[in-house]
Structures are given as C-alpha cells and as structure tokens.
Amino acid sequence: MRLLLWIAVALTLAVVAAGERAQAQQAPQASARQAAWPPKLEEPAPGEVEVLPVRGNVHVIMGAGGNVTVEVGGQGILLVDTGIAAMREKVWAAVQKIAPPRKVLRYVINTDEDPEHTGGNAVIAAKGQTVPLREANYTAGPQGSINYNRASVVAHQNVLNRMSAPTGEKSPTPPAAWPDNTYAIDQKRFYFNDEPVVMMNFPGNTDGNTIVFFRKSDVISTGDLIDLTRYPVIDRKAGGSIQAIVASLNKLIDLCVPESHGAGGTLVIPGHGRIGDHAEGAYYRDMTYIIRDRVQDMIEKGMTLPQIKAARPTRDYDGRYGSSTGQWTTEKFVEAVYDSLRK
C-alpha cells in the first residue's frame, strides 16, 4: 500500500516538473508575443507617400499633405482630393501603381478649398480626360466650351467661389485648379465604376465641406470633417463653426453601420491620419461635443477667452489631438470654438 502511495507521489511530482519546464520554455515566446503589441505606428517618411487598400475599388494615398482617396474600376479613375502641390507627381505615380494600365482619370472631387487637398489639382487633372458629351467627330452642333482634355474637377459651389475671384480681381489659385463642375444643393450623385458615388455637403470646417460616400464599397471619404491627427480646423471666415462640425459629425455617424460592438463595418478615410470606422467617428464626435459644451458653460458663467484658455477645456484630449506648434494649435482651436459660441 505504501509502495503504491509513493509511486503516486512520484508521478505527481514528475507531472508538475514537466509543466514547469514547459512554462519556462513558453515564457520567452509569450513575452515576444506581448512585446509586439501595441504595434509600432509609422507615418510615411517626409516627402514619400504610402498606398493602402481600403475596401472594394477604394484605396488611400497617405503622406501627400492630406489623404487622397482613389477609386478605380472599369470606367476609369476617380480621386478625392489631390494633396499639396509639392507632392503632385508622387501622388500621380502612386495612382498609376493602383490603376491598371491605360485607365483614364475621369474625376477629381475636392472636399474643400484648402491647399492640402487642392494643391495638385492643376497638374493631376490635366493628366485625365472628361467623359465627352459628344463623339469627337460630331458635326451636327457645337461641342460646347468644356475642356475635355482634363479630368472634371467637382466641388461645392462655395469651394469654387473661394478658389476663384470676381472678374478683374486676382484669384488665390490659378484657373487650371478650379472646379469645373459644382453643386449647391444637399448632395450630388452619379454612378461610376459599378457603384453609386454620393457627394454630400456637410458644413463644418467651412460651409463648403463635401464628404464622398462610395456606397457599394461602404467607404466614406470625409475630408477635414474628421482629422485624426489634431483638433478640427475651424475656418470662421469661410463659414466654419463648432456647431456645424458637431451637427455634420452626427449625420456622418448615421451613415456608418458598425459590424460588431461599434467597430468595423463602414470604413472612414479622414482628411489626415489613419483609416477609421464608426467607433473612431463616434469618439471624435464625442470629443467635439464635450469641448463645445465646456466652453459654452464657461461663456455662460461670464469667463473671458484668456480665462477659458487657462481652464484648459481640452485637457482630456490634448494627448491625442493637441499641439502647441504648427499651423493649427490647441490654442487656435479653443479660440475658434469660443468665437463660434459667443455670438
């Protein structure tokens, strides 16, 4: 009986020892796996662009100043924005890598008039061709004044108004960069590359903001309505306001359908930063809501702008979106929010 007991004890000890050895061998592997998370996030090197597939016919080019959305299919190429002027050739080279040979650029859609989104218009649009209304040899009537030897540049009417100028005045951008196809209603729609493309006027940063919804691919290109690298840029002189941003973000979130637990599903290409989804958009919306309400409450308490800045109404979010340098700082954002609400 004692012999059997000792045998059982010995077997138990042997199993425990084997388990400890296995754990010791697995520990470095587990440590290596843990070290890989969170993944290291790297932006393209300065002066370089990166191409990422999004879904369906849609890709995004990052590193061109603002994100450039590319949709490619049987009917040709469509771009949302063209990046800054200095990156135009690299943007076009990236487009050529995405598109099959001999595909023609047909459309450029501008989400607003900012040079980060329109800087490449003149050169890149000239590489395309507008879909002609008539055959080249049509002789029964006039062809019209449309320049078919460039892609059609589409934007909200307010974008054209700010990129151009009244007759006799100097415009801020050359005519070759101007939109030639505009809309002034809530949305403009057409069918291209086997999917509906819906442009919607979602005022926010300016009163001319356009978002582009690729309905079959279930991808939305938002322009600067969402900017995952900083607080939203609010151009008060161009009709932008914090109230308009909050309202348009609410409408945008209504368009996004999450796959599970608020994530996945509809994908969002922001004006700057990584590809997002419903959850990312909701977080960004909540941030604008909270900061707006804090500043509004401070104004109602009679606080001045310097006092509001000192109270740091953005403090919870500064680590993610804040900046003390560059063209758009946290301080400028607070000033724009204050100016939006005090009138």
Side-chain angles (χ1 to χ4, degrees), residues 76-306:
I77 304 168
L78 179 155
L79 301 182
V80 180
D81 293 329
T82 55
I84 59 175
M87 296 297 292
R88 58 187 182 265
E89 294 298 341
K90 290 192 175 181
V91 167
W92 183 245
V95 171
Q96 294 298 94
K97 291 179 181 179
I98 298 169
R102 295 183 295 279
K103 288 298 178 185
V104 180
L105 174 64
R106 296 296 190 185
Y107 296 100
V108 173
I109 301 173
N110 287 146
T111 56
D112 63 36
E113 67 272 17
D114 192 293
E116 291 184 326
H117 301 292
T118 63
N121 276 15
V123 170
I124 291 177
K127 298 179 184 294
Q129 291 181 334
T130 297
V131 179
L133 299 176
R134 306 284 190 184
E135 296 295 330
N137 58 357
Y138 179 80
T139 58
Q143 288 280 344
S145 59
I146 297 174
N147 177 10
Y148 291 108
N149 295 316
R150 76 190 288 261
S152 180
V153 180
V154 190
H156 191 271
Q157 180 64 40
N158 290 340
V159 172
L160 173 60
N161 293 345
R162 295 194 181 97
M163 293 180 69
S164 59
T167 302
E169 297 182 18
K170 184 177 180 180
S171 66
T173 58
W178 297 353
D180 56 55
N181 187 344
T182 63
Y183 72 104
I185 54 178
D186 289 341
Q187 60 180 246
K188 181 181 179 68
R189 303 175 294 176
F190 61 95
Y191 206 84
F192 189 68
N193 287 334
D194 197 32
E195 75 174 317
V197 179
V198 185
M199 290 163 281
M200 305 181 195
N201 177 218
F202 276 24
N205 316 88
T206 75
D207 56 15
N209 281 106
T210 290
I211 71 162
V212 185
F213 188 8
F214 299 96
R215 279 178 32 187
K216 184 176 180 180
S217 299
D218 198 18
V219 174
I220 303 175
S221 185
T222 70
D224 280 344
L225 182 62
I226 291 184
D227 182 342
L228 296 179
T229 66
R230 58 188 174 183
Y231 289 115
V233 176
I234 303 174
D235 189 341
R236 296 288 293 135
K237 293 181 180 179
S241 70
I242 189 64
Q243 301 97 317
I245 286 177
V246 169
S248 289
L249 286 172
N250 276 329
K251 293 194 293 183
L252 175 67
I253 291 168
D254 285 343
L255 295 175
C256 297
V257 181
E259 180 180 356
S260 178
H261 303 293
T266 306
L267 295 178
V268 173
I269 301 174
H272 300 79
R274 63 190 177 280
I275 300 167
D277 57 12
H278 177 277
E280 197 81 65
Y283 185 89
Y284 198 77
R285 184 274 314 271
D286 291 349
M287 174 269 293
T288 61
Y289 249 114
I290 290 168
I291 294 173
R292 180 202 62 179
D293 288 353
R294 285 176 178 169
V295 175
Q296 182 69 66
D297 182 62
M298 292 176 183
I299 291 173
E300 291 174 358
K301 290 178 179 178
M303 294 175 66
T304 63
L305 178 57

